[in-house]
DNA sequence: CTTTGGATCGTCT
DNA sequence: GACGATCCAAAGG
């Protein structure tokens, strides 16, 4: 979880589409009742227990994909959910992928929205975000993480909802509405 | 602006 | 068989 705020301001790259990470949430394996990894490894969450730097994509509510960056050691099951991006490049493609968006800030201001905009789905589960030439990559363009990131409770969970494991870039218009 | 309910199905018990 | 790490459109103030 210590690494979660350090993901802020990194770039998520998928082909010509690029977004800057502006909101994340940490999920801590077996120590965290809200985590998919709570209760051990299973078919769906296997990627969480793999090497750090890989992409964990899961399907939820019968229609949505969400993307996480695996952050723990092998066998631990820690991951960080990417909740929002600021579009940087390929914005036209994002609009095509997300006809429901009304304003640019709606393109990637939510975990399922950004997967839609970026074209990320279950086919990308388990791939290495740090490998050169990968379909989805995590890059550092030199922009440092905020010195004092926003910090507060996680969103959309019923268990352990009080743990302040959500971080965001203060003031970013692309953070989920009502949460910046 | 806020609140509400529907959509929709893989996963685990 | 129940329940989501959600989103959106519609309705109400």
């Amino acid at each position: 979880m210590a690494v979660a705020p350090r993901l802020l301001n990194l770039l998520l790259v998928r082909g010509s589409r690029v977004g800057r990470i502006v909101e994340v949430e940490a999920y801590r394996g077996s120590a965290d009742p809200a985590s998919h990894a709570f209760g051990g490894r299973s078919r769906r969450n296997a990627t969480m227990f793999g090497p750090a730097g890989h992409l964990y994509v899961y399907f939820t509510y019968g229609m949505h994909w969400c993307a996480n960056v695996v952050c723990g050691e092998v066998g631990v099951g820690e991951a960080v959910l990417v909740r929002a991006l600021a579009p940087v490049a390929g914005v036209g493609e994002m609009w095509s992928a997300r006809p429901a968006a009304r304003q640019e800030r709606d393109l990637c201001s939510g975990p399922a929205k950004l997967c839609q905009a970026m074209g990320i789905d279950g086919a990308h589960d388990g791939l290495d975000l740090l490998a050169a030439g990968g379909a989805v990559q995590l890059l550092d363009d030199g922009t440092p993480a905020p010195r004092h990131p926003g910090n507060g409770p996680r969103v959309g969970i019923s268990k352990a909802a009080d743990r302040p494991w959500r971080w965001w870039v203060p003031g970013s218009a692309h953070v989920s509405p009502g949460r910046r």
Side-chain angles (χ1 to χ4, degrees):
Chain A
M1 130 190 155
V3 293
R6 298 192 16 147
L7 294 180
L8 294 173
N9 279 334
L10 292 183
L11 298 177
L12 195 62
V13 180
R14 155 107 167 105
S16 56
R17 282 171 275 188
V18 181
R20 191 178 301 283
I21 297 176
V22 295
E23 185 183 5
V24 297
E25 277 180 8
Y27 287 88
R28 307 190 61 186
S30 55
D32 178 4
S35 170
H36 289 166
F38 184 73
R41 183 179 190 135
S42 67
R43 169 72 49 80
R44 175 173 67 161
N45 65 24
T47 301
M48 287 184 87
F49 291 85
H54 284 222
L55 184 66
Y56 167 48
V57 182
Y58 67 88
F59 185 69
T60 191
Y61 290 105
M63 63 188 84
H64 292 305
W65 296 100
C66 297
N68 299 243
V69 179
V70 177
C71 288
E73 298 299 313
V74 171
V76 173
E78 280 190 358
V80 173
L81 172 68
V82 181
R83 282 199 66 86
L85 301 175
V88 170
V91 179
E93 287 182 67
M94 293 185 188
W95 277 107
S96 307
R98 267 185 59 64
R102 296 211 184 309
Q103 313 172 61
E104 182 167 316
R105 47 139 62 77
D106 299 327
L107 282 175
C108 302
S109 58
K113 298 182 197 176
L114 89 250
C115 283
Q116 230 177 288
M118 297 288 284
I120 294 172
D121 64 24
H124 305 286
D125 182 43
L127 67 78
D128 185 355
L129 290 167
L130 307 179
V136 184
Q137 294 181 63
L138 195 57
L139 296 181
D140 183 351
D141 71 342
T143 305
R147 191 182 299 277
H148 298 296
N151 173 235
R154 292 178 292 183
V155 174
I157 54 177
S158 54
K159 293 171 266 190
D162 54 319
R163 287 162 165 75
W165 290 344
R166 186 174 65 94
W167 287 267
W168 65 91
V169 175
S172 170
H174 300 279
V175 171
S176 321
R179 292 160 191 162
R180 54 186 106 99

